[in-house]
Amino acid sequence: NDGSFTVYLPGSVAEPVNLVITNILGETVFESHAKTNTPELVRLARPAGIYFLSASAGAGEYHARVIIR
């Protein structure tokens, strides 16, 4: 991807979600507070590379790798 993508986390009820994206060094490059069941547009103006997305809501967590080309 080119640094723009949408994160959507479904849930049974709308609850706050903390989104954090870090680079390969573990430095936070993006942070947002969103809600479940609501698409969140992410625009990373970062160089090409591998990044890590973490999303936490209530008792659940989601982790993904994001590759910017």
Side-chain angles (χ1 to χ4, degrees):
N1 93 38
D2 63 359
S4 295
F5 55 94
T6 301
V7 175
Y8 179 79
L9 297 170
S12 56
V13 296
E15 60 183 324
V17 175
N18 187 39
L19 292 174
V20 178
I21 298 176
T22 57
N23 63 17
I24 198 101
L25 301 174
E27 301 166 330
T28 300
V29 297
F30 179 86
E31 188 167 6
S32 177
H33 302 286
K35 290 190 180 273
T36 55
N37 302 321
T38 303
E40 177 76 11
L41 178 61
V42 176
R43 291 188 181 132
L44 289 180
R46 297 290 172 176
I50 299 172
Y51 296 85
F52 302 96
L53 180 142
S54 296
S56 57
E61 285 194 24
Y62 174 79
H63 301 278
R65 183 176 61 186
V66 177
I67 299 173
I68 296 179
R69 298 180 184 190

